[in-house]
Amino acid sequence: MLTTHPFEDDKLREECGVFGVSGSDSAAALVALGLHALQHRGQEAAGISSFDGHHFHTHRAMGHVAGNFDRDDVIRALPGDYAVGHVRYSTTGETALRNVQPLYAELASGGFAVAHNGNISNAMKLRRELIRRGSIFQSTSDTETIIHLVATSNYRTLLDRFIDALKQIEGAYSLVVMTPEGMIACRDPLGIRPLVMGKLDGAVIFASETVALDVCGATFERQVEPGELVIVQNGEIRSIRPFAPMAPRPCIFEWVYFSRPDSIAGDQSVYTVRKEIGAQLAIETPVEADLVIPVPDSGVPAAIGYAQQSGIPFELGIIRSHYVGRTFIQPGDKVRHLGVKLKHNANRALIKGKRIILVDDSIVRGTTSLKIVQMMRDAGAAEVHMRIASPPTRHSCFYGVDTPERAKLLAAKLDLGGMTDFIHADSLSFVSIDGLYKALGEAKRADIRPKYCDACFTGDYPTTLTDQDDSVAVDQFAMLAERVN
């Protein structure tokens, strides 16, 4: 197989998207529609669970929402006024149907279905403790840890057992949970992962992004606040805050890349913020050139901002085909090499002889940028300057983003000159961390109390990383033992 996303495979990947509906006789159909709008957050698998007042029903499948949830027979098999759905791109757990969410279990209190966006950074430690106490895990997903913590809690009510479970976990989570008593939506105390609430004809809807509300015709009500639990029972909504207040640290990469540009994140237009990042790039890293060209599709808003600020014309120098699937079977190495052009191709007549500025959202391993620069040179570009609408990604994420280990991050291995040489560009520049904060309306990054989680750029992780620290300790012990032996 050959991926036909040569400009997208070397990206940071958001783990998943969640969507829940409470109080609609078309709940499952609405969830399927909402998941279509969140497909960019997870393209590996999708699932929907519903509750008809007596029984839970679940359908999970590998692949996209389309093809799995656009058939009437599938939706009819998911009856009920409550439904929760999930799209997945795994960061923990193997690629297998048993890890596809929503995860469902029968507890003493009845059925329990959970959809999770994020990553529990002490899941492995908790898992080991639960297994020692007799828990039997059916998946390798960190999300299942939540189910077992609820099942083994000593508190009496389901809500108290759920809160007890949440107080034992670390990391990032936005959860939508469905039980016989109703629906619960919550965010971690730092609000690292997003979650919003809307309404449609009396139904209450929860989603990872506002665009999913737009697509199904719902009205945006508000964000679920960091550390808040919103409980919906019999049409009534109540909110509780069981955690000590903390200064929020939402993931800054939602504005850089993860969220769709037509979403509103934290009361700000994602599209507008991305254009402003591009403008900051132009102010901080000007260069004489003839054209500003976006790397499609994620580089488009920043490239527009760069062009408007610099006065250099914006042009589509890379044309993307929207009619090619993710993979195709190829008969040999020669076709495999040519296949990368199925998805993106240089606009040769525009580029030839021109000094161009390529604008992209990030550099991870650098392999994608190398391909893009070479494509521009093959098309006859006189000069190729790369501008990146985020600071250098020097650290791995442990909060629900699929990131290579740090040793594989280009910016962790090389300085700016080394990275420029690696991708064979005439120049390379990144927006500064202060420039990124300025684009978000902040004067600069406050080192004492930054407003966002920007750990992938700064290494400033806002929570403890128990599993990571344990893994490092085990590795260090192994290395020490090897030296002793």
Side-chain angles (χ1 to χ4, degrees), residues 19-302:
F19 193 92
V21 175
S22 173
S24 170
D25 56 8
S26 302
L30 283 174
V31 170
L33 192 60
L35 293 183
H36 273 285
L38 298 174
Q39 186 73 86
H40 60 288
R41 299 184 77 91
Q43 300 176 41
E44 183 178 274
I48 297 176
S49 294
S50 69
F51 179 62
D52 63 10
H54 301 283
H55 302 99
F56 284 79
H57 310 269
T58 297
H59 183 78
R60 301 182 297 166
M62 305 304 297
H64 289 188
V65 179
N68 285 312
F69 292 97
D70 52 3
R71 300 189 345 246
D72 287 342
D73 60 322
V74 173
I75 298 301
R76 283 198 302 270
L78 295 167
D81 296 341
Y82 295 81
V84 60
H86 187 273
V87 287
R88 181 175 193 259
Y89 185 92
S90 63
T91 63
T92 63
E94 63 184 329
T95 301
L97 189 60
R98 63 177 177 161
N99 287 327
V100 179
Q101 298 185 34
L103 295 185
Y104 174 78
E106 286 284 346
L107 307 183
S109 56
F112 188 93
V114 56
H116 171 210
N117 172 213
N119 194 61
I120 300 170
S121 58
N122 64 335
M124 293 306 298
K125 180 179 181 181
L126 291 170
R127 184 187 182 100
R128 289 192 297 268
E129 293 171 353
L130 286 161
I131 289 173
R132 278 196 295 266
R133 285 156 44 188
S135 291
I136 301 172
F137 280 74
Q138 299 296 315
S139 77
T140 58
S141 169
D142 62 331
T143 308
E144 191 178 355
T145 305
I146 298 170
I147 296 175
H148 288 278
L149 289 173
V150 174
T152 58
S153 172
N154 292 321
Y155 283 84
R156 185 177 63 84
T157 69
L158 176 62
L159 181 59
D160 286 339
R161 292 160 76 96
F162 182 56
I163 293 170
D164 180 41
L166 296 181
K167 288 185 175 181
Q168 296 178 64
I169 63 178
E170 302 168 358
Y173 56 85
S174 285
L175 301 170
V176 181
V177 173
M178 190 168 60
T179 77
E181 297 177 17
M183 185 168 284
I184 306 171
C186 65
R187 288 174 78 190
D188 65 81
L190 291 170
I192 298 174
R193 300 262 70 86
L195 192 63
V196 297
M197 182 172 70
K199 289 187 178 180
L200 176 65
D201 299 329
V204 180
I205 298 178
F206 300 100
S208 291
E209 292 185 38
T210 61
V211 67
L213 301 177
D214 297 338
V215 167
C216 70
T219 301
F220 170 68
E221 292 290 312
R222 63 179 180 86
Q223 292 188 90
V224 176
E225 296 297 325
E228 180 186 20
L229 275 70
V230 179
I231 301 109
V232 185
Q233 291 178 298
N234 301 318
E236 298 294 323
I237 303 171
R238 63 190 178 102
S239 169
I240 60 174
R241 299 172 185 270
F243 304 102
M246 302 177 71
R249 293 280 299 275
C251 173
I252 203 166
F253 227 85
E254 291 289 344
W255 289 268
V256 173
Y257 176 68
F258 294 147
S259 293
R260 266 180 45 166
D262 45 343
S263 279
I264 304 297
D267 299 326
Q268 297 189 78
S269 160
V270 173
Y271 178 79
T272 300
V273 170
R274 288 179 187 167
K275 280 182 62 179
E276 186 56 35
I277 295 172
Q280 287 298 316
L281 256 177
I283 293 169
E284 294 180 356
T285 63
V287 62
E288 291 188 8
D290 302 306
L291 301 174
V292 175
I293 293 174
V295 176
D297 287 326
S298 58
V300 171

